[in-house]
């Protein structure tokens, strides 16, 4: 794909998150509001494009402020010749298809042991719906809550429920999403 095929071009500062300041395993950037406004959703959005000219695909996360942020792993930042503190250039467009989310091992095990109806519905729902269930589970702060949500997910799927209950995909109303804090 040529650069002219991408719909949204912007520059942003690559930041080191406070939670991984010592490991340098990843960085992030927050999209300018005007770039984010061109996307089809305030929620999680799959994109394709380039970072400093290096091709990539990713899922933007909502920041709870009607914009998005992007997690940049070390492999991508090294390939793009960028590190935390640098201003990078992005050319992006919404992806034609949503990527399949990574299923956490505890959920994968629970689904394998779940009722056949739950497994069948999990396979039948969209990648976006699976991603929402996964986010609802992984957003739990305590292991007991996470375990309960996994159990409830299997039960609700077995009962025919296709979406996680009361899930605000933008994070704007529930503040369930936010960009990481930058390391100082």
């Amino acid at each position: 794909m040529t650069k002219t095929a991408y719909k949204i071009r912007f520059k942003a500062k690559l930041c080191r998150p406070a939670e991984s300041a010592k490991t340098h395993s990843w960085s992030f950037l927050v999209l300018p509001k005007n770039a984010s406004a061109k996307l089809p959703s305030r929620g999680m959005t799959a994109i394709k494009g380039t970072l400093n000219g290096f091709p990539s695909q990713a899922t933007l996360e909502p920041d709870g402020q009607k914009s998005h942020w992007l997690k940049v792993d070390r492999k991508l930042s090294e390939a793009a010749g960028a590190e935390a503190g640098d201003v990078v250039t992005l050319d992006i467009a919404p992806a034609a298809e949503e990527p399949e989310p990574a299923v956490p091992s505890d959920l994968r095990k629970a689904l394998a042991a779940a009722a056949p109806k739950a497994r069948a519905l999990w396979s039948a729902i969209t990648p976006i719906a699976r991603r929402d269930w996964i986010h609802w589970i992984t957003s739990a702060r305590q292991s007991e809550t996470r375990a309960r949500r996994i159990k409830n997910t299997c039960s609700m799927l077995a009962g025919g429920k296709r979406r996680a209950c009361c899930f605000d995909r933008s994070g704007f109303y529930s503040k369930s999403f936010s960009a990481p804090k930058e390391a100082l």
Side-chain angles (χ1 to χ4, degrees):
M1 184 168 263
T2 64
K3 282 188 176 187
T4 56
Y6 297 118
K7 299 177 182 178
I8 305 165
R9 183 181 180 101
F10 61 93
K11 292 181 183 237
K13 179 183 170 191
L14 203 54
C15 303
R16 177 142 355 273
E19 63 189 55
S20 73
K22 294 178 183 169
T23 65
H24 303 281
S25 61
W26 60 283
S27 53
F28 74 98
L29 59 87
V30 177
L31 276 69
K33 290 213 186 276
N34 63 343
S36 187
K38 295 176 184 175
L39 294 165
S41 169
R42 296 292 63 87
M44 289 185 244
T45 303
I47 57 150
K48 61 182 178 180
T50 64
L51 179 95
N52 280 356
F54 188 81
S56 68
Q57 287 188 305
T59 300
L60 299 174
E61 298 276 345
D63 70 354
Q65 304 295 314
K66 295 187 177 180
S67 191
H68 294 87
W69 67 278
L70 173 65
K71 181 176 183 177
V72 179
D73 65 25
R74 185 183 337 185
K75 184 178 176 183
L76 176 57
S77 62
E78 287 175 356
E83 58 185 49
D86 292 349
V87 174
V88 294
T89 301
L90 286 95
D91 287 293
I92 63 170
E97 292 183 18
E98 286 290 324
E100 192 60 43
V103 180
S105 62
D106 52 353
L107 176 58
R108 191 173 30 257
K109 288 176 189 173
L111 287 168
K117 275 183 99 175
R119 291 193 307 271
L121 186 54
W122 180 261
S123 295
I125 61 177
T126 67
I128 294 171
R130 285 190 286 273
R131 188 177 61 201
D132 288 351
W133 282 109
I134 291 166
H135 179 76
W136 180 62
I137 291 165
T138 59
S139 66
R141 293 188 178 152
Q142 297 181 353
S143 60
E144 296 84 11
T145 304
R146 181 180 174 120
R148 187 174 54 252
R149 287 183 183 179
I150 289 172
K151 182 179 176 184
N152 289 342
T153 295
C154 292
S155 175
M156 287 187 276
L157 287 167
K161 189 161 180 67
R162 301 178 72 82
R163 294 281 186 169
C165 176
C166 311
F167 186 71
D168 172 22
R169 298 184 79 238
S170 72
F172 186 70
Y173 299 103
S174 69
K175 302 300 180 206
S176 60
F177 292 99
S178 63
K181 302 287 184 231
E182 184 177 0
L184 301 175

